[in-house]
Amino acid sequence: MMNKIITFFNNLLPSLSNAWKGNGLTSQVFRGSIGSISIKLLSTSLGFLSVLVLARVLGAESYGVYAFTIAIISLVAVPAQLGLPQLIIRESAKARALEEWSILKGLWRWSTLAVLLFSLISALAVGIYLYFTNSSSTVYGSMLVYALPLIPLIALGNIRGAALQGLKHVAIGQIPENIIRPSLMVLILLVSWFFYNEVIALDALIAYTASAFLAFIIGAYLLYKKAPKELWEVDKLEYRSKDWILSAIPLALVSSVQLINNQTDIIMLTMFRTADEVGVYKVIYSICTLVIFGFMAIQLVVSPYIASLYIQADIKKLQNIITLASRATLALALPVVIFLIIYGEWLLTFLFGKEYSEGYIGLIILCAGRIINASLGFAVTVANMSGNEKSTLKAVGLSAILNIVLNGILIPLYGVNGAAFATVLTLCTWNFYMWHLVKLKTGINASVF
């Protein structure tokens, strides 16, 4: 095993250099990833800045209330999306490759109407629950009432971004949600703080909603401008509703359970510990996005290529792309982790305040888990883009159960550190399982080795 690791690092830079200079498909993907990584780096920086501003102007307790509200709304928005973002990426890439414009236009219209309908149903269900339980009079309940407009905005924004990604306009597809929205939010918060010298959790939520609305409008315009001109020349739309629904259901369940995994720690920390600890955990979890920004950026680029190459049965090219993408992800993650291990405690104290420094151990635990997951590569992406979403659903369902059990045991005992360890153990178990499953079903090794 050690020899494999040494060989990997010896070959890493030469393989990346050859990919940059080449003219093949792998090189095109690699160079395309540079633009996506640049956008993702900027968006991650803006996201980090928004966390910094929120943590500073709200304080740990109010930030905990805000974080809990966003976690709940994010969960509610998942069933409203019906698993369509992943389906749209896959089917848009296929339709574009085969020039099936009537199917592509039909998919976009059908998915928009479906998401809008289920977003409204989800928002109505939350409103009814709050009304009949009298929860709207509590701090958390009143925040949820104001957050209801975010459900359709999040859902529609995600399928719009998926459409651009499926057309391989990956960098442009990230601009509205990842650049415009956090920039506007930070601007609104800073202006409010400057004039009123105080910002509460509700102010932050209103700023988030306003910036999300403007980002959605800009994103819709970008999709209109970047869609193939042949698409708008199509008069008769073709709908494959039955096939789309059958594919969307497991993808919807996968997305739902994945988000449950992502938000379980926040929700269970709120149940068992104080709002201050929720705020601290939200900060360290957000910092860890610096470790995986490379993965998120490269995933956006390779997903449509995985779908198109798999349907063309070009497994050799697909393996080359996956290997290169996995190695690039690890190469980008390692320096960030080393920096956070050395300077993490100072960073928390200097940027966020002394009350957040107690999250340092939890930060290290989360970073260690991110490195392990980066080493296992893009197994989940390969599974979903190759039509093996049912296998993903089984794996992510088991991981959700494990996550809830571990959080239930560790959070009451160890607080923030317990939540971090539960998250890491869950993600590592899930990723190891998916790596093995993908290799068995497709013959593709999604790890860095």
Side-chain angles (χ1 to χ4, degrees):
M1 184 66 178
M2 183 57 66
N3 289 334
K4 286 185 177 182
I5 294 174
I6 294 172
T7 301
F8 160 70
F9 281 105
N10 286 336
N11 294 333
L12 177 60
L13 290 178
S15 64
L16 294 179
S17 176
N18 292 334
W20 174 260
K21 297 176 182 177
N23 295 316
L25 178 61
T26 303
S27 299
Q28 294 174 26
V29 174
F30 181 68
R31 287 193 293 267
S33 298
I34 299 301
S36 180
I37 289 171
S38 300
I39 293 290
K40 203 66 183 179
L41 179 59
L42 178 58
S43 70
T44 302
S45 301
L46 287 169
F48 183 77
L49 179 61
S50 66
V51 171
L52 173 60
V53 172
L54 283 166
R56 279 290 190 180
V57 302
L58 293 180
E61 184 175 355
S62 291
Y63 187 44
V65 173
Y66 170 82
F68 173 78
T69 304
I70 296 300
I72 293 295
I73 289 299
S74 298
L75 285 175
V76 175
V78 170
Q81 296 172 62
L82 304 170
L84 290 176
Q86 289 293 320
L87 179 71
I88 290 171
I89 293 172
R90 189 177 75 194
E91 297 303 317
S92 294
K94 291 180 181 179
R96 182 181 183 275
L98 300 175
E99 298 185 353
E100 296 175 333
W101 308 120
S102 60
I103 295 177
L104 181 58
K105 192 172 183 179
L107 171 67
W108 287 3
R109 181 170 297 181
W110 175 82
S111 60
T112 300
L113 293 174
V115 165
L116 183 59
L117 174 62
F118 278 87
S119 295
L120 295 176
I121 292 173
S122 298
L124 183 61
V126 173
I128 291 173
Y129 171 80
L130 293 173
Y131 176 78
F132 282 104
T133 59
N134 294 320
S135 300
S136 58
S137 60
T138 65
V139 174
Y140 292 112
S142 60
M143 285 283 287
L144 285 172
V145 171
Y146 285 99
L148 290 179
L150 280 173
I151 297 174
L153 286 176
I154 291 173
L156 291 171
N158 284 340
I159 66 167
R160 183 260 310 137
L164 280 166
Q165 186 180 342
L167 295 177
K168 300 180 182 177
H169 294 298
V170 178
I172 293 174
Q174 297 177 65
I175 290 175
E177 298 299 324
N178 295 331
I179 304 297
I180 295 173
R181 184 190 56 74
S183 298
L184 288 173
M185 183 176 180
V186 169
L187 180 62
I188 294 170
L189 285 172
L190 289 177
V191 169
S192 299
W193 186 59
F194 178 79
F195 282 103
Y196 300 104
N197 202 30
E198 183 183 13
V199 176
I200 61 174
L202 181 58
D203 298 329
L205 182 62
I206 293 173
Y208 188 105
T209 305
S211 58
F213 176 74
L214 291 172
F216 171 75
I217 297 297
I218 295 170
Y221 173 76
L222 289 174
L223 179 59
Y224 173 76
K225 296 296 291 184
K226 291 298 179 180
K229 62 180 182 179
E230 295 89 349
L231 193 70
W232 310 124
E233 297 171 358
V234 173
D235 294 324
K236 185 179 180 181
L237 277 61
E238 185 174 346
Y239 297 98
R240 296 182 177 178
S241 302
K242 183 178 179 181
D243 293 336
W244 294 336
I245 291 172
L246 290 175
S247 294
I249 289 173
L251 286 171
L253 293 173
V254 168
S255 298
S256 299
V257 180
Q258 276 184 304
L259 193 56
I260 289 171
N261 271 338
N262 292 337
Q263 304 296 346
T264 294
D265 37 18
I266 292 289
I267 294 171
M268 295 188 75
L269 267 171
T270 305
M271 293 169 56
F272 293 117
R273 309 291 285 203
T274 64
D276 295 45
E277 289 181 270
V278 177
V280 170
Y281 185 79
K282 181 63 177 177
V283 164
I284 65 171
Y285 193 89
S286 298
I287 290 175
C288 274
T289 59
L290 296 171
V291 179
I292 60 171
F293 86 90
F295 170 82
M296 293 187 292
I298 295 171
Q299 182 189 41
L300 294 174
V301 175
V302 301
S303 292
Y305 285 97
I306 293 171
S308 57
L309 287 173
Y310 190 81
I311 199 174
Q312 295 167 10
D314 196 340
I315 302 301
K316 184 177 180 180
K317 285 184 179 179
L318 181 54
Q319 178 66 73
N320 290 338
I321 288 174
I322 293 299
T323 301
L324 178 64
S326 299
R327 292 178 177 180
T329 296
L330 184 58
L332 290 167
L334 278 173
V336 180
V337 170
I338 293 171
F339 175 83
L340 290 176
I341 290 173
I342 299 172
Y343 298 107
E345 188 171 10
W346 169 84
L347 188 72
L348 288 168
T349 303
F350 178 74
L351 293 180
F352 298 97
K354 184 65 177 178
E355 59 184 333
Y356 292 96
S357 63
E358 64 185 60
Y360 173 68
I361 299 300
L363 176 64
I364 299 305
I365 295 171
L366 289 174
C367 286
R370 296 300 186 189
I371 284 294
I372 296 172
N373 293 332
S375 302
L376 295 172
F378 293 82
V380 177
T381 308
V382 174
N384 290 339
M385 291 297 108
S386 62
N388 289 295
E389 57 270 9
K390 291 182 180 179
S391 298
T392 306
L393 175 59
K394 179 181 177 182
V396 79
L398 293 173
S399 73
I401 296 172
L402 177 63
N403 196 18
I404 292 171
V405 171
L406 289 174
N407 274 293
I409 295 171
L410 296 175
I411 286 177
L413 295 173
Y414 304 108
V416 169
N417 295 338
F421 189 72
T423 297
V424 166
L425 189 57
T426 300
L427 287 175
C428 290
T429 302
W430 175 39
N431 278 281
F432 269 115
Y433 178 80
M434 288 304 302
W435 167 77
H436 174 73
L437 189 70
V438 165
K439 192 173 182 181
L440 189 66
K441 285 185 171 291
T442 67
I444 296 171
N445 184 352
S447 75
V448 297
F449 302 109

